[in-house]
Structures are given as C-alpha cells and as structure tokens.
Amino acid sequence: MKVPQLDLNAQYLTIKDELEAAILGVVRQHAYILGPAVEKFEKEIAQYIGMKHAIGVSSGSDSLLLSLMALNIGEGDEVITTPFTFFATASCVARLKARPVFADIRPDTYNIDVDCIKKAITKKTRAIIPVDLYGQAAEMEDIVALADKHGIKVIEDACQAIGAQRNGKRAGAFGWVGCFSFYPSKNLGACGEGGLIVTNDDDLAVRFRALRQHGMTVVYHHDYLGINARMHGIQGAVLSVKLKYLDRWAKGRQAVAAKYERLFAEAGLNEFLTPPVVMKGNEHIYHQYVVRAKHRDELLEHMHKATAGGTIYYPVPLHMQPCFKYLGYKQGDMPVTEQACREVLALPIYAELTDEQQRYVVDTMKEFYRK
Ligand SMILES: *Cc1c(COP(=O)(O)O)cnc(C)c1O
C-alpha cells in the first residue's frame, strides 16, 4: 500500500464541479486580481474568524511582511519569535533589517514559551510573533497581556491554524493582527499562493489595503511605500467554495487524530511515541499530526521504504540556519527546540484518509518497534 502524507486529489474529487465552476466564473469575468470574488471571500472569512476586517494578500509570507511594514519595523528594532516554525515567520523580520530574537518553546505543545518571551524582551523589542504551530493556538491571552504591559504589538502567525479555537475564540483573532496562509497544503488551501491579514482596527485595514498595492489609496497616489501583494480573483473564488467545508474537514482530521491514539495503544506503541498534547481550552485542527518518536530517523527510513508517509517539521531550528549565523546563536541556546527537531515526526492526516490507510501507517510503525 502507499499512503501519501497529504492527498489533495481526494479532497478535490469531493468538490470538483463546484470548484471548477467558480474558477471558470472568474476567468469569464477577467477579474484576475482582487475584484468581486476576493471581496466576497474577505467578507466571509472575516465573519468566520470573528474579526472586523480581512485583507486578502498574495501569501502567508507577505501577510507577515506587510504587518511588520505597517509597524514601520526596521533597523535597530527587535522582534521576538519562535525558532521552531516555518522560515517565513522570522525572515520577514530580517528582510526589514530588524533583528529576529528567538524564544524557546514548550516541550508539550511545541508553541513559544511565555517565560522565554519575558526573558527576551528588551528596550528595542517592537513586536512578538507567536505561531499557532501544527494547528493549535499558542497561549495568546498571556502573550497579548505581556505585550500590552510593555507597549509592544502581537502579530499572530496563524498560518497553520485556520479554524482552530482557544477559549471560544478563533486562532488569528487574538493579536493586533492575525496572519494566514492559503498555500495548497494548508487546511484551507488555494489553487496557488494566497494569504490573509485580519484586524479589528479600521485605520489599519485601510493601510493594509494600500500596502498590498504599492501604498496606493487613490490610484497612482502613493501614501506609503508598499509592495505588490494582491490576492488573485481565482484564489478568492476557490477559497469561498472551500471555506464552506473547512469545519467538516477539521472534524475529519480530529477523528483521524483520535484514531491514531487508539491504534497506538492497541499496537503497544505508547512507550515509543508521545502523541500531540492539546492544551486545556484549545481546539486543535491538526494541520499536522506530530508525535515524538524514539529512534525517529530510523523509524522514518522504515516508513519511507514502506511508502507509509512521514515528514519532519522542522529538522533544523531557525537559530541554527546558515542565513541567520550573523545573529550569533549557537547549538544549545534553545534546548527544547533542538530536542524537538531530533524527535518530531508528522504522520499522514487529512479528512479523506481511509481506515485501511491509517492502519497501514500504524502497522508499519509497529513493525519497526517490535522487531
Ligand atoms: C505556511 C506558513 C507561512 C508562510 O505562508 P506562505 O503562504 O507559504 O507564504 C508562514 N508561517 C507559518 C507558520 C506557515 O506554516
């Protein structure tokens, strides 16, 4: 058997006609960039997340970059974030000539550790970018309270957590702004690149709408130095269709996650694997289902030979990336993150994953540990 890590085709087949009609609609209108489909999606998603404004942009990476640009972040500024995330969370800081400052993570949820943020705050700190990793919100209330105390802004990187909730509030709705990605493999995936910024601040929303098109509020009048980061009409149309199914897909992923735990117990694998920990008050949407595994690298090799999936998010922490060498971090500076990099393993998860496929994944793992 072959179990893909993610099967985009399985999802596509369930909404094929609706999706293709929506795309064709945009093509026939030639509303390729922004336009009615994007405006419709912005209204729907703002309501879904529970925020006043949603601004469609070109990618999750650009949503983070534009957020820092709106704060005028630049040389001499520091921005605190986690070293255990996708590169874009920290590269946006460095691209603006500010300094990414890393704060270590919690060993249970892999999200940024609030005590480590406290220790990293200096007079130069302008913002904190917590990440809702793997689809579970970070301790956003505590982070926002800490930031408020110091007069700094919180940019919530919810790129992996669309639809997740914490104490009844959606991920992305906690900070000064929330950032999302619609990269095709995300839980809400476009047919190409896409991203989103959400905010409750009216003036800020106007500013983001300008910043995503070269800082123009009136055409050819540039109030700010912006970039080209507009959402495409086709993506707006695709995302409107898919948004209707997002909660259903999340329930499917949650069922797969619960079943993994049952199957691990049945297979006697609990001494080798630590399943994901969901913090009290959190609803996890399992963008990734990540376990800590003993002998991780050998296990992964065995799984790949058996075509049973398995991927590592993330093998190298950001403070050890060659391009961040100039920041001066060394091995041992972020021990919890470094250990996670050696032990985490993401297993196949998506709403359409069959019982047979899931059992094959766990049987393959059992074969490795029990031989
Ligand atoms: C995917 C992702 C991004 C970047 O989004 P793109 O749309 O790929 O640019 C940023 N942060 C996190 C945590 C992500 O998972």
Side-chain angles (χ1 to χ4, degrees), residues 15-261:
I15 53 168
K16 182 173 176 290
D17 292 344
E18 206 182 344
L19 199 66
E20 290 176 0
I23 292 171
L24 202 57
V26 174
V27 173
R28 286 179 175 163
Q29 281 186 325
H30 310 287
Y32 300 117
I33 295 164
L34 298 177
V38 171
E39 282 166 33
K40 177 170 176 281
F41 172 65
E42 287 177 337
K43 286 201 183 78
E44 292 164 354
I45 192 89
Q47 191 175 17
Y48 176 85
I49 295 163
M51 292 291 268
K52 216 162 151 191
H53 306 283
I55 299 99
V57 297
S58 46
S59 69
S61 302
D62 281 344
S63 71
L64 292 161
L65 182 69
L66 290 168
S67 299
L68 293 174
M69 285 172 70
L71 269 181
N72 289 317
I73 296 275
E75 211 165 340
D77 295 332
E78 292 179 355
V79 177
I80 298 172
T81 191
T82 162
F84 196 56
T85 176
F86 178 61
F87 180 65
T89 313
S91 65
C92 56
V93 178
R95 279 178 64 187
L96 295 173
K97 308 265 182 280
R99 188 180 174 81
V101 173
F102 295 113
D104 209 354
I105 57 168
R106 296 174 58 103
D108 53 358
T109 62
Y110 311 101
N111 276 328
I112 197 164
D113 184 324
V114 181
D115 285 328
C116 294
I117 299 178
K118 273 182 203 157
K119 287 180 196 137
I121 292 176
T122 72
K123 284 195 167 57
K124 292 181 179 170
T125 308
R126 297 278 320 278
I128 305 170
I129 313 181
V131 177
D132 302 323
L133 199 73
Y134 301 147
Q136 167 168 223
E139 292 161 278
M140 289 307 303
E141 299 93 340
D142 290 351
I143 294 168
V144 170
L146 179 65
D148 284 349
K149 207 174 93 186
H150 291 271
I152 56 191
K153 295 281 195 267
V154 175
I155 295 164
E156 184 179 359
D157 182 345
C159 284
Q160 299 187 1
I162 191 150
Q165 298 192 48
R166 179 174 173 82
N167 300 321
K169 207 161 152 176
R170 296 270 188 204
F174 287 89
W176 176 65
V177 299
C179 295
F180 294 90
S181 164
F182 305 119
Y183 186 79
S185 65
K186 299 282 158 80
N187 286 30
L188 182 60
C191 292
E193 307 262 12
L196 191 84
I197 307 169
V198 295
T199 180
N200 280 328
D201 183 324
D202 298 345
D203 296 337
L204 195 56
V206 172
R207 180 122 178 233
F208 281 129
R209 289 184 194 286
L211 284 174
R212 75 175 166 184
Q213 47 183 348
H214 294 297
M216 293 191 286
T217 34
V218 177
V219 75
Y220 303 130
H221 293 260
H222 302 265
D223 296 329
Y224 313 103
L225 189 62
I227 58 175
N228 179 353
R230 296 174 289 229
M231 180 177 272
H232 292 178
I234 286 175
Q235 306 313 343
V238 163
L239 293 165
S240 270
V241 169
K242 288 194 173 189
L243 181 59
K244 293 186 288 184
Y245 303 98
L246 186 61
D247 287 344
R248 197 182 305 171
W249 291 333
K251 284 201 173 67
R253 285 171 179 262
Q254 287 160 354
V256 168
K259 194 192 256 167
Y260 267 129
E261 249 188 88

Side-chain angles (χ1 to χ4, degrees), residues 169-358:
K169 207 161 152 176
R170 296 270 188 204
F174 287 89
W176 176 65
V177 299
C179 295
F180 294 90
S181 164
F182 305 119
Y183 186 79
S185 65
K186 299 282 158 80
N187 286 30
L188 182 60
C191 292
E193 307 262 12
L196 191 84
I197 307 169
V198 295
T199 180
N200 280 328
D201 183 324
D202 298 345
D203 296 337
L204 195 56
V206 172
R207 180 122 178 233
F208 281 129
R209 289 184 194 286
L211 284 174
R212 75 175 166 184
Q213 47 183 348
H214 294 297
M216 293 191 286
T217 34
V218 177
V219 75
Y220 303 130
H221 293 260
H222 302 265
D223 296 329
Y224 313 103
L225 189 62
I227 58 175
N228 179 353
R230 296 174 289 229
M231 180 177 272
H232 292 178
I234 286 175
Q235 306 313 343
V238 163
L239 293 165
S240 270
V241 169
K242 288 194 173 189
L243 181 59
K244 293 186 288 184
Y245 303 98
L246 186 61
D247 287 344
R248 197 182 305 171
W249 291 333
K251 284 201 173 67
R253 285 171 179 262
Q254 287 160 354
V256 168
K259 194 192 256 167
Y260 267 129
E261 249 188 88
R262 281 202 306 278
L263 294 176
F264 294 154
E266 276 170 37
L269 295 182
N270 287 348
E271 59 183 295
F272 306 108
L273 301 175
T274 312
V277 172
V278 182
M279 210 176 227
K280 197 171 168 290
N282 271 359
E283 187 187 332
H284 200 315
I285 49 92
Y286 295 101
H287 170 58
Q288 299 297 345
Y289 183 87
V290 175
V291 297
R292 263 188 211 271
K294 290 205 171 130
H295 314 292
R296 194 263 324 259
D297 292 339
E298 294 91 330
L299 170 66
L300 185 59
E301 204 188 313
H302 178 78
M303 291 179 74
H304 283 177
K305 272 191 196 135
T307 59
T311 308
I312 300 168
Y313 304 107
Y314 295 88
V316 182
L318 293 189
H319 69 286
M320 296 309 289
Q321 294 289 349
C323 71
F324 287 142
K325 208 169 170 186
Y326 72 95
L327 294 173
Y329 288 99
K330 55 187 192 312
Q331 192 78 29
D333 285 346
M334 304 282 146
V336 185
T337 295
E338 291 162 23
Q339 188 176 349
C341 290
R342 291 191 295 269
E343 296 180 347
V344 294
L345 177 63
L347 302 179
I349 191 163
Y350 38 95
E352 302 80 11
L353 188 72
T354 65
D355 177 70
E356 200 189 4
Q357 287 176 313
Q358 203 178 352

